[in-house]
Amino acid sequence: MTDTPTPSYIPATPLPPLPRMLAGQKAIVTGANSGIGEAVAVALGEAGADVAVNYVAGDDAAQAVVARIEAAGSRAKAYKADVSDEAQVEAMFASVVADFGTVDICVANAGLQRDSAFTTMTLAQWQKVIDVNLTGQFLCARAAAKEFVRRGVVPEVSRAAGKIICMSSVHQVIPWAGHVNYASSKGGVDMLMQSMAQELAPQRIRVNSIAPGAIRTPINTAAWDTQEAYDKLMTLVPYGRIGEPGDIAQTAVWLASDHADYIVGTTVFIDGGMTLYPGFATNG
Ligand code: BGC
């Protein structure tokens, strides 16, 4: 970090925690040892869910997330698996069901960027992003849906047989030069989510997406860790502050809960207005 950016506005006081609206439920969060996934996993635990913490690298960070969830009074366990590997995903879900009894909530969050100008983007860069961000969500959602269908609705646990939350991005709608692999993966996530939602809704499975904008996490450090970068980023965010992982986490809790029981096949944008085309505020 070269200097410390000064946000034009930061939330003054921390919000009170949501009530334990997920008590008795079992959740799996992929990519849960950092960034948005970590915040979502901890918030689900604080809301009363037992949480399977998936990660692919970084055992200590995963164990730290497990400890935070346990400190909040819920069960948690770390599962190392590459979400783009079918055998590893199937084995992970079998272990989670063996350990926790079932799965009620799947947050398909794991994602990465491999940025490159288009003409020099390698097939490996393209493939890696599609494999993790899109195929990974397919494999995890499929494994979760199979378990939801097997078990069906348990009314004292939830009105739905299960909930899938796909972690998308504003780039499911905003084109992104220099990142065509990433934007393509998130555009794919949107149709994956909607098509799954249409197919699975009759079985009382709710599939939805969260589309974050610029959130302060390791994936986009270069976009916020200097004053210059932060100020440039703010030209894209009408609300005038970067998002924090907690902005995503509380929405995930609510979306997974029965308070959102009639929400099916929707994307919730959490972006401070990034998708409002702020350039048009003074132009066009
Ligand atoms: C990307 C970030 C980016 C944000 C807004 C996210 O999906 O991962 O790198 O800052 O979109 O452009």
Side-chain angles (χ1 to χ4, degrees):
M1 229 196 246
T2 49
D3 54 9
T4 307
T6 314
S8 53
Y9 141 67
I10 48 169
T13 47
L15 294 169
L18 292 172
R20 291 176 77 82
M21 56 171 79
L22 301 178
Q25 300 202 42
K26 318 294 178 191
I28 178 166
V29 182
T30 65
N33 63 341
S34 76
I36 289 172
E38 172 177 5
V40 168
V42 171
L44 293 175
E46 288 171 349
D50 294 334
V51 185
V53 174
N54 161 261
Y55 70 107
V56 68
D59 305 83
D60 291 351
Q63 290 307 330
V65 175
V66 166
R68 288 178 66 195
I69 294 165
E70 288 173 343
S74 294
R75 272 185 71 197
K77 189 171 170 184
Y79 297 85
K80 183 172 178 152
D82 175 351
V83 295
S84 68
D85 183 307
E86 183 176 27
Q88 291 186 37
V89 170
E90 290 295 315
M92 173 172 68
F93 272 81
S95 299
V96 172
V97 170
D99 293 341
F100 290 87
T102 189
V103 177
D104 304 282
I105 299 161
C106 173
V107 182
N109 166 79
L112 47 73
Q113 293 180 208
R114 293 288 182 271
D115 307 331
S116 168
F118 181 64
T119 53
T120 53
M121 182 174 285
T122 64
L123 179 58
Q125 287 172 319
W126 168 267
Q127 199 65 56
K128 181 73 177 173
V129 172
I130 298 296
D131 283 351
V132 173
N133 295 12
L134 184 56
T135 306
Q137 293 210 13
F138 159 69
L139 290 172
C140 293
R142 186 184 64 174
K146 273 194 262 181
E147 172 60 13
F148 300 161
V149 170
R150 183 198 67 75
R151 176 186 20 79
V153 177
V154 181
E156 52 276 17
V157 174
S158 175
R159 294 180 183 179
K163 284 83 57 164
I164 295 168
I165 298 175
C166 298
M167 200 57 68
S168 186
S169 164
V170 291
H171 297 296
Q172 74 171 37
V173 295
I174 301 178
W176 206 13
H179 311 258
V180 299
N181 47 1
Y182 185 84
S184 300
S185 74
K186 295 302 186 178
V189 165
D190 184 31
M191 267 299 141
L192 170 67
M193 181 280 287
Q194 293 192 58
S195 301
M196 289 194 298
Q198 190 189 64
E199 184 167 340
L200 299 172
Q203 294 166 91
R204 300 266 293 276
I205 295 170
R206 293 194 299 109
V207 188
N208 292 285
S209 285
I210 292 175
I215 309 298
R216 192 197 305 270
T217 72
I219 206 172
N220 62 354
T221 308
W224 51 260
D225 79 338
T226 65
Q227 189 67 53
E228 194 189 352
Y230 189 89
D231 291 345
K232 194 166 163 226
L233 182 64
M234 285 308 103
T235 66
L236 300 175
V237 185
Y239 204 54
R241 71 165 171 90
I242 194 169
E244 304 295 342
D247 289 316
I248 309 300
Q250 298 307 333
T251 299
V253 169
W254 166 77
L255 203 47
S257 81
D258 282 356
H259 291 277
D261 187 55
Y262 209 49
I263 300 184
V264 175
T266 291
T267 297
V268 181
F269 286 84
I270 308 178
D271 66 354
M274 193 175 240
T275 38
L276 296 173
Y277 298 97
F280 277 80
T282 54
N283 204 347

